[in-house]
Amino acid sequence: MPSKKLRVLPLGGLGEIGKNMTVIEYDGKIVVVDTGLMFPTAEMHGIDLVLPDFSYLRDRADDIEAIVLTHGHEDHVGALPYVLREIGSPPVIYGGLLTIGMVRSKLDEHKLSDAPLQELPAGEKVQRGPFGLELVHLAHSIPDMRGVLITTEVGSMLMTGDYKFDQTPVDGRPADIPRLAEIGREGLLLLCGDSTNADRPGVAPSESSVGPALLQQFSRCKGRIIVTSFASNIHRVQQVIDAAVQLDRKVALVGRSMRKNYNIASNLGMAKAPSGLFIQPREIENFPDEKIVVISTGSQGEPLSALRRMANNDHRDVQLHSGDTVVFSATPVPGNERAVNETIDRIYEIGATVITAKDAPIHASGHGWQEEIKLMLNLTKPKYVMPVHGDHKRLRLHSELAEAVGVDGANIFRGRNGLPLEIDQNGAKFGEDIHAGTMYVDGVNIGDPDDAALRDRREISADGIFIVVVTISNDDGTVVADPEVIFRGVAFLEEADALVEELSDLVEDQLEDAAEKGTRESHLIEEDLHDAVGKFVFQRLKRRPMILPVVIEV
Ligand SMILES: [Zn+2]
Ligand SMILES: [Zn+2]
C-alpha cells in the first residue's frame, strides 16, 4: 500500500463555539465537512458575521470532491454562500433532507440557486474520488442531524457533528445506535466528536420532556403567551403548537426565520398543525389575550429579532403589556448572555412576566452530556480521538472522558484550528500548522481582522476622533484660513477650549514648516499633521484617538 496520509484539518470550531469547518484530505483530494459561521461579539463594531478563514481552499478548489453538511444550524452551514462565492461550487453538496431544504432557501437568497445540493439518505454509501461517504442519523435540536463517516484506504473516520442520545425524541427517531456499534466493530480509525457539553455530568434530558413542562407553564397563564426559541428547533416549535392546541389558543409565528423554517419543515412533513390554528401576526389584536400563543424569534437577544423589537416597544404587530408572559424556551449560547439579560429586563420594565429555563424545565440541550459522549466513544471504539466543537476547556474535558473509557492517552489529539492531524499506517501525529484565522463579513464583503475598517471602528469607539481641516493656497502652499479642529467622542471636556487652541497653533506651525520646506503634496502634509497631532494629543490626554487631517487646496 502506498504511504498515503489521511489529513484532517480543522479550519474552525476548535477553541471556540461556532464556525465549524473541517477539511479532510486523502491522495490529493478533499472532502469538506460543514461550513459554519459565528455571530460577532460586541467588540466587533459593525461586523455582521464571523467566518472561518478558508483561504487554504482557494488554490485547492479543483480538488474538492464534496462538501458534506451535518445539519442546518448556522454554526455548520452559515458560511456556505461565502465559500461558494469565493472558491466556486464543488461537484456536490450532501446533507439530510431538512438540511438541504434549509440550505437551498439560504442559497436562493444569496442568488446561488444552481449549487449542486443533493440529499444523501442516512445509511446510503457513495464513493467520491478516494472517499467513501455515509451519513449516520443522530438526534439533535434540529431534525435530520447526520454524523459523517468517511472511509479511505487508510481507514475510516467519523465526524459526529452535534448529537445527543435522546431515547425519546419528538420524531421517534433516536440516534442510529446499531449502526454506530457496527462502525465500532468494523474498526474506526478516528473519531472527531462534539465537545459542547463535555462539562456536564450525566445525561441530557430528552426533548420530549419539554412539551409537558411547557403545557404546565402555559396552563397557568391568564394572558397572552409569547414563546421564543431557536427557529430551527422544529421539534420545540411543534411542542409549543401542540400545547397551544390543547389549551385552545391560536398561534401566530412571528419573525422571518420562524415562518420560513416552519414552512420548510411543514412542506417536508416534519411539522404539522390543525387547519385554522395559525393566525397572521396582524390579527393578534382581534382575539382575546387568553386565546393567543405567539412563537417568536429572538431567544438569543439578537438586535433585530422580533422579540427584541417587542421588548423595545418597536414591533409592528405585537405590543407587549402587563398580563403577557414571555417564555424563553432556550438558553443563551455563550457570548449572548448580556443581550438576553437586557431583553428580559426590558420585558419586566413593560410589566410582562418572564419564564426562563431557570424557572422550569422548558428547555433541553441538543448536545449530549458526559455519559453520552462516553457512549459514543464506547460504541464506535475509535483508535484515535480528536475532540472538536468546543472551547479549549471542553476539548480537554472531552479528552479526559476518552481516557476514562480506555482510549490510550497517546492516541488522543487536542488540536486547534489550522493544525492538521495526519494519519497513516505508522500512526497519527500533528502536521505543519497552516494559517487558520477568522474572516469578517461587513455587509456583503469579506475581510480579515486587520481590515482598516475594523481597526478604525475600534480606535473611534475607544478614544474618539479628531478631525483637522486646513485650507492652503494652491499657488504657494500658504495657509488661507484658520485651521479647524473638530472632535467627537473624546473625553476631556474641561480643557477642551484650551486644547483646541493649542492644537490650532500646532497645526499652523506645522503648515509653516511645510511651506518653508516646500512640501506641497497634500497627502504628505496630511501625514505630517497626523503624526504631530497624534503625538500632541497623546502627550496631553494619554489617549490615541483617530486623527483625520484634511487638507483643502484653494
Ligand atoms: Zn447544532
Ligand atoms: Zn454546532
Side-chain angles (χ1 to χ4, degrees):
M1 200 179 93
S3 68
K4 291 172 190 161
K5 277 181 195 156
L6 173 65
R7 198 158 179 267
V8 182
L9 170 64
L11 293 181
L14 273 68
E16 61 191 359
I17 309 266
K19 68 179 176 64
N20 298 285
M21 182 165 182
T22 309
V23 175
I24 289 130
E25 285 181 74
Y26 186 75
D27 199 14
K29 296 295 181 182
I30 288 175
V31 165
V32 178
V33 177
D34 285 335
T35 52
L37 59 68
M38 211 158 121
F39 292 99
T41 60
E43 293 80 57
M44 300 174 187
H45 310 282
I47 292 300
D48 299 314
L49 301 171
V50 181
L51 310 181
D53 180 352
F54 49 80
S55 47
Y56 178 79
L57 291 176
R58 212 157 285 178
D59 307 330
R60 304 287 311 274
D62 293 342
D63 300 328
I64 301 177
E65 295 282 351
I67 294 178
V68 187
L69 305 171
T70 57
H71 63 296
H73 279 156
E74 288 292 308
D75 62 324
H76 296 258
V77 304
L80 186 61
Y82 304 95
V83 171
L84 296 184
R85 209 177 286 144
E86 293 283 306
I87 65 167
S89 196
V92 65
I93 302 168
Y94 288 126
L97 189 59
L98 179 70
T99 311
I100 294 301
M102 288 175 66
V103 167
R104 178 166 290 134
S105 146
K106 175 190 282 294
L107 293 181
D108 283 348
E109 286 169 21
H110 283 262
K111 302 197 166 46
L112 290 161
S113 306
D114 42 6
L117 296 169
Q118 201 177 312
E119 188 212 354
L120 181 59
E124 199 173 302
K125 297 180 173 75
V126 290
Q127 190 72 29
R128 303 297 312 195
F131 304 102
L133 301 176
E134 179 191 339
L135 301 186
V136 182
H137 174 71
L138 298 172
H140 184 41
S141 48
I142 185 171
D144 280 355
M145 162 62 218
R146 305 283 189 261
V148 185
L149 182 69
I150 300 171
T151 304
T152 64
E153 290 166 315
V154 174
S156 295
M157 61 171 289
L158 179 67
M159 303 268 326
T160 67
D162 300 353
Y163 70 92
K164 68 192 284 191
F165 283 106
D166 194 336
Q167 302 302 322
T168 52
V170 170
D171 61 0
R173 299 172 66 212
D176 192 348
I177 292 176
R179 181 63 187 127
L180 292 172
E182 211 168 52
I183 289 168
R185 267 197 303 275
E186 289 164 2
L188 185 65
L189 191 62
L190 171 68
L191 178 72
C192 296
D194 179 8
S195 310
T196 305
N197 280 335
D199 59 335
R200 301 180 80 164
V203 176
S206 170
E207 177 62 31
S208 59
S209 70
V210 174
L214 283 171
L215 182 61
Q216 192 183 32
Q217 294 301 317
F218 288 4
S219 58
R220 291 187 194 146
C221 296
K222 304 236 171 345
R224 295 188 301 186
I225 298 167
I226 295 97
V227 187
T228 185
S229 101
F230 279 109
S232 58
N233 197 337
I234 307 300
H235 294 149
R236 185 69 52 83
V237 172
Q238 182 68 58
Q239 294 191 96
V240 175
I241 289 172
D242 294 346
V245 170
Q246 285 218 34
L247 297 169
D248 196 24
R249 288 176 180 248
K250 297 282 184 192
V251 173
L253 300 175
V254 174
R256 205 175 68 92
S257 60
M258 190 60 77
R259 302 167 76 86
K260 192 177 80 173
N261 285 337
Y262 183 84
N263 285 336
I264 294 169
S266 145
N267 288 335
L268 295 173
M270 292 175 182
K272 55 183 189 306
S275 66
L277 180 79
F278 289 118
I279 58 168
Q280 293 299 319
R282 60 170 187 279
E283 298 174 307
I284 291 172
E285 297 297 330
N286 304 345
F287 291 84
D289 284 2
E290 70 275 14
K291 289 291 169 200
I292 293 291
V293 171
V294 172
I295 310 179
S296 171
T297 54
S299 70
Q300 300 300 305
E302 304 93 318
L304 299 176
S305 64
L307 185 68
R308 185 70 177 238
R309 284 183 194 277
M310 291 177 210
N312 288 332
N313 271 322
D314 182 31
H315 195 275
R316 198 182 44 192
D317 300 311
V318 187
Q319 289 82 41
L320 291 180
H321 52 69
S322 65
D324 290 343
T325 305
V326 180
V327 180
F328 280 77
S329 188
T331 49
V333 170
N336 295 343
E337 294 90 348
R338 214 174 83 182
V340 172
N341 286 340
E342 270 172 27
T343 309
I344 289 176
D345 214 53
R346 283 187 181 274
I347 296 168
Y348 273 111
E349 188 184 9
I350 292 170
T353 303
V354 176
I355 300 174
T356 71
K358 284 187 191 133
D359 308 309
I362 51 170
H363 176 66
S365 172
H367 302 266
W369 295 6
Q370 286 180 351
E371 295 306 312
E372 293 160 271
I373 293 174
K374 289 187 202 162
L375 180 57
M376 179 62 85
L377 288 156
N378 278 333
L379 285 168
T380 58
K381 299 194 179 309
K383 180 169 185 192
Y384 303 109
V385 171
M386 180 160 76
V388 297
H389 205 294
D391 53 18
H392 293 297
K393 173 185 161 187
R394 288 170 176 84
L395 299 182
R396 165 102 65 94
L397 290 170
H398 191 162
S399 305
E400 288 169 6
L401 295 172
E403 266 193 275
V405 302
V407 179
D408 185 347
N411 290 347
I412 300 170
F413 291 85
R414 280 210 327 270
R416 59 174 186 269
N417 296 337
L419 190 63
L421 181 65
E422 296 175 346
I423 309 178
D424 59 17
Q425 57 267 57
N426 300 321
K429 60 178 177 15
F430 282 122
E432 212 171 296
D433 226 326
I434 66 135
H435 174 72
T438 300
M439 296 198 296
Y440 291 135
V441 179
D442 185 351
V444 290
N445 298 316
I446 299 185
D448 64 62
D450 299 327
D451 241 4
L454 192 61
R455 207 170 49 230
D456 289 353
R457 287 175 207 168
R458 225 179 270 136
E459 269 180 28
I460 297 170
S461 79
D463 289 332
I465 181 168
F466 270 89
I467 301 168
V468 180
V469 185
V470 301
T471 314
I472 59 172
S473 150
N474 217 346
D475 305 325
D476 55 5
T478 53
V479 181
V480 280
D482 282 343
E484 219 181 313
V485 179
I486 306 159
F487 58 90
R488 287 285 182 275
V490 183
F492 68 105
L493 286 175
E494 320 87 70
E495 354 160 25
D497 289 349
L499 194 104
V500 166
E501 212 156 289
E502 277 181 75
L503 252 180
S504 303
D505 292 344
L506 176 89
V507 170
E508 270 171 52
D509 290 348
Q510 280 288 317
L511 292 173
E512 267 167 42
D513 270 10
E516 258 167 49
K517 277 192 286 182
T519 310
R520 297 288 290 281
E521 292 89 341
S522 50
H523 75 271
L524 290 179
I525 299 176
E526 284 171 356
E527 259 172 43
D528 284 349
L529 277 175
H530 175 272
D531 294 349
V533 173
K535 202 169 142 199
F536 173 80
V537 170
F538 182 73
Q539 276 167 1
R540 294 296 300 271
L541 304 176
K542 295 289 172 268
R543 298 209 169 269
R544 296 192 190 282
M546 169 181 271
I547 311 289
L548 192 65
V550 182
V551 174
I552 300 168
E553 293 174 82
V554 292

